[in-house]
Amino acid sequence: MMKRNSIYVAALVLVIQSVFVPISHGDANLIEQTCRQTPYHDLCVSSLKAHPLSASADVTGLALIMVDVVKAKATECANKINHLLKQRPGDQALSSCKSNYNGVLVADVPVAIEALTKGDPKFAEQGMDDTVIEAKSCEDYFSGRSPMTDLNNASQKLGAVAAAIVRLLL
Amino acid sequence: MMIFSLWQFCLLSLLLSYGVIELQASHHVYSNLQTTQLTSTHPQAKDPYRTGYHFQPRKNWINDPNGPLIYKGIYHLFYQYNPSSVVWGNIVWAHSTSTDLVNWIPHEAAIYPSILSDINGCWSGSVTILPGGKPAILYTGINPDKEQVQNLAFPKNLSDPFLREWVKVPQNPLMAPTQANQINASSFRDPTTAWLGPDKRWRLIIGSKRNQRGLAILYRSKDFMHWTKAKHPLYSTPKNGMWECPDFFPVSKTKLLGLDTSAIGPDVKHVLKVSLDNTRKEYYTIGTYNVSKDIYIPDDGSIESDSGLRYDYGKFYASKTFFDSAKNRRILWGWINESSSVSGDIKKGWSGLQAIPRTIVLDKSGKQLVQWPVVELEKLRTKEVKLPSTLLKGGSLHEVIGVTAAQADVDVAFEISDLKKAEVTDPSWTNAQLLCSKKGTSVKGALGPFGLLAFVSKDLKEKTAIFYRIFKSHNNNNKYVVLMCSDQSRSSLNPDNDMTTYGAFVNVDPLYEKLSLRSLIDHSIVESFGGKGKACITARVYPTLAVDGDTHLYAFNYGSESVKIAGSAWSMKTAKIN
C-alpha cells in the first residue's frame, strides 16, 4: 500500500513540475538564447547552470556569473603554476605564465565586474578578451611541451564565452 | 649615384625576377649631416614604449579626454584617470595645463567622487564657456544606485589661471533618468559642450540608446541650471547601439578656421560625431542644424556606420573637440588605448595615450573633414634631414639616416609619372581595412605598395609599414582609387599584442596632386596623415628589437613602377609632459 502511495506521490510531483512552467524554465530559455551567441554553447550552458543564481539572472547577471567562472579557472591556473614553480624554481615559462594569470586575477576580472555593475560594459569585453590573450600567451611560452595545456585551453574558451556574453550588452 | 646601362638593367631585372638578388640591394642614404653614431637618448630597456611627445601621465591608466578648454591664454586638458592602477577604475578627472599644447604641467585632480551623484565614479563630460568667460564643467556621475546622471561644477576661484579647484553645485544632479523621461539609466552619459540658440536658450546632447537605437538626447536650459529634456533627440540611428562621447559643432564652409560652438548661419555646416560602443569606432556626419526645429539632418550620403567617415581609421576613440578662441581654430583630442596585453600594461606600469591635438576644418569639397597636427608641435623638430626629390625604383628600400628613428616627424610626398600601369579595382573592394589586411607589403602591385617603414629592426625582422597603393577605378578609367594602409602585422616579434592592419581610402587624385604622407613616430605610437590630413591612421606597436637607438626608418617602394619621393624627416625633441 505504501509503495503504491509513494508512486502516486511521485507521479503527482512529476505532473505538477511539468504542468507548472516555473520561472526557471523561462530563465533556462535566456541561458539558451545567450549561450547560442557564444562560441562554445555547451560549455556556456554547463558553466552557467552550475551557478545557483543563473536561474533568475538577466544578461548582465549571466555575464557576471561567467566572469566569476573565468576567475575560478584563472585561480586554478595560478595555483597550478605556483605548485609547478616549487618543483622547477626559476623556470622562465612558468614565471611568465604567472604574470599572465596575475593579470587576469588582479586586473581583468575586477575591471569586468566594475564595468558591468556601473554600466560601461565595453571595459568588461576588453578584459575578457584579454583573458584569452593571457591564456594563449602562457601556452606559447612552453613552445610545445606545456604542463598547462588543458588549463590554458579551458581558460581561453571560458574567456571567449564571457566576452561574447558581454558583447550582447553593448 | 648609380647609373645603369641598358644591358646591366636587363640583367638586373632578370636576376631580380628570379629572386637571386635581395631587394635590399639599393641603400640610398639620405643625409645632409655627417653620419654620426646613433646613440640612444633614453636609457635602454627601462621602458622602451613611453612616448617622448605624446600626452600621458607618469603612470597608471587613462582613457577619455575631458573638458578641453582655453582660459586666460592657458590650455587645459582633463582626462579620465585611475590614480591607483593600470586598468580602468576609481576614475577621476586628472588635470594638466599648457601654454603651447606641447608641454604640460600636472595639477591635482579637478573632479573626484565627493557627492552622492558621483560617489561611484566621475565619468566623461565637457566644458562650456559661459558669457563673460566663466567655464562650466558638465560631467556624468555614477550615483549610489549605479545610475548615470549629469552634474555641474564651476571653478572655485576664477582668478586662478590654472583653475585648480572646482565646486559642484548643490542642485546636482541636474539631469537624471526618471520614470517619466524613460531614459535608460545605464546608457546616459558624456554631455557635450552646450551651444546657445538665438532664443538665448542653451542646448546640449547626451549619448544614450533605446534597445539598439543610438540616441543623442537633447536638453535645453535658460539658466544653465534647470534643464528640460526635449521631446525628440537631436538625432538618432537604428541598430548601431549606444552612442558614447557625442560631439556636435559648427564648421565654416568658407574659411579654414574654427568656429565658436554656438555659431550658426549660411556659411556654417554642422558636424555630429558619435563613438560607437559596440565597435569602438567613431563616425562623423556633416549636415545641417535646423535651429528652429532643433534637429540635425545629415547630408545625403553622410552616415554614421561602417561605411561612414571617421576621424581616424586606426586606434582613436572617445574624441572631443573644443574651440580655441585664442587662435580661432577647432582642436580635436582623442584617446589612444594600448594594443598590448594587460599583463604587459602591468609590467610597464601605464596604459593609454592622448593623440597629438589636431586642428579640424571642413574640406573644400564640403564632404569631409581635414585634420592636421597643431603647428606648435613643430617646435620639437630638430636636425632636419632633407630628402631631395629622388626616384624610388620598383623593389627598392632606402634608409633615412640622421634622425632618432624612434622619435621622429616625417613629412614626404610621392609622385607617379605614369599612372597607366595601375591595376584595376574589383567591385568587391569596399572595405579598406580588409583590403589592406589582404594586401600587405609582401603583396606586390603595379603602383605600390610604397611608403614608409617605421620601427624597423636592424635585420628588418620587425617593421611597421605605412603605405599607399594606387588603382584605376573599374567604374571609370580616368578615375583613380588611392588606398592608404598602416600595416602592423610584422611590427613585433611579441605575438601578445594586437597587430591588426588598418586602412582607408584617401580622396586625392594622383593625376593632379602628389600623395603626401606625414608620420609622427614616437616609441610605441605612429600617427599617420594621408592626403594632407584627409585620412588619418593611428597605430600602437611594441617592437622587441627596434627599440630606441636600434630603430631604423626607411622609405620603400615594393611596386613594379617607380615613384618619386621628396620631403623631410626630423628628430623630435622630448617634450616636458607631466
Side-chain angles (χ1 to χ4, degrees), chain B residues 28-172:
Chain B
H28 287 212
V29 171
Y30 295 111
S31 176
N32 61 356
L33 305 168
Q34 293 289 79
T35 310
T36 50
Q37 185 74 11
L38 273 177
T39 48
S40 170
T41 50
H42 311 267
Q44 259 274 39
K46 218 359 181 21
D47 185 350
Y49 305 130
R50 269 194 85 80
T51 63
Y53 57 92
H54 279 77
F55 186 99
Q56 58 179 133
R58 299 236 178 104
K59 57 179 183 163
N60 291 352
W61 166 277
I62 72 172
N63 55 297
D64 309 3
N66 296 149
L69 73 125
I70 180 167
Y71 178 75
K72 297 198 159 138
I74 293 179
Y75 294 102
H76 293 250
L77 179 67
F78 304 91
Y79 55 100
Q80 299 278 281
Y81 175 66
N82 184 343
S84 335
S85 159
V86 87
V87 289
W88 180 79
N90 312 307
I91 290 293
V92 301
W93 277 41
H95 181 200
S96 295
T97 56
S98 169
T99 51
D100 61 6
L101 293 171
V102 171
N103 301 289
W104 295 84
I105 358 175
H107 302 285
E108 293 292 301
I111 309 269
Y112 45 86
S114 70
I115 54 177
L116 277 181
S117 56
D118 71 12
I119 204 66
N120 274 316
C122 297
W123 292 6
S124 297
S126 312
V127 160
T128 306
I129 309 288
L130 301 180
K134 176 165 150 178
I137 287 178
L138 270 165
Y139 68 99
T140 299
I142 312 298
N143 71 10
D145 296 321
K146 314 259 169 78
E147 297 170 320
Q148 295 168 12
V149 299
Q150 319 308 322
N151 302 315
L152 173 64
F154 288 112
K156 183 168 182 186
N157 180 2
L158 281 169
S159 49
D160 173 14
F162 297 119
L163 298 177
R164 279 166 294 190
E165 288 179 272
W166 293 74
V167 176
K168 300 168 190 174
V169 304
Q171 294 90 335
N172 281 328

Side-chain angles (χ1 to χ4, degrees), chain B residues 205 213-218 232-237 243 272 285 294-298 302-304:
Chain B
I205 51 174
R213 175 175 279 274
L215 300 177
I217 296 185
L218 181 66
H232 56 269
L234 180 74
Y235 193 63
S236 77
T237 307
W243 280 7
L272 176 65
T285 55
D294 239 339
I295 50 171
Y296 168 73
I297 305 142
S302 215
I303 13 155
E304 61 293 289

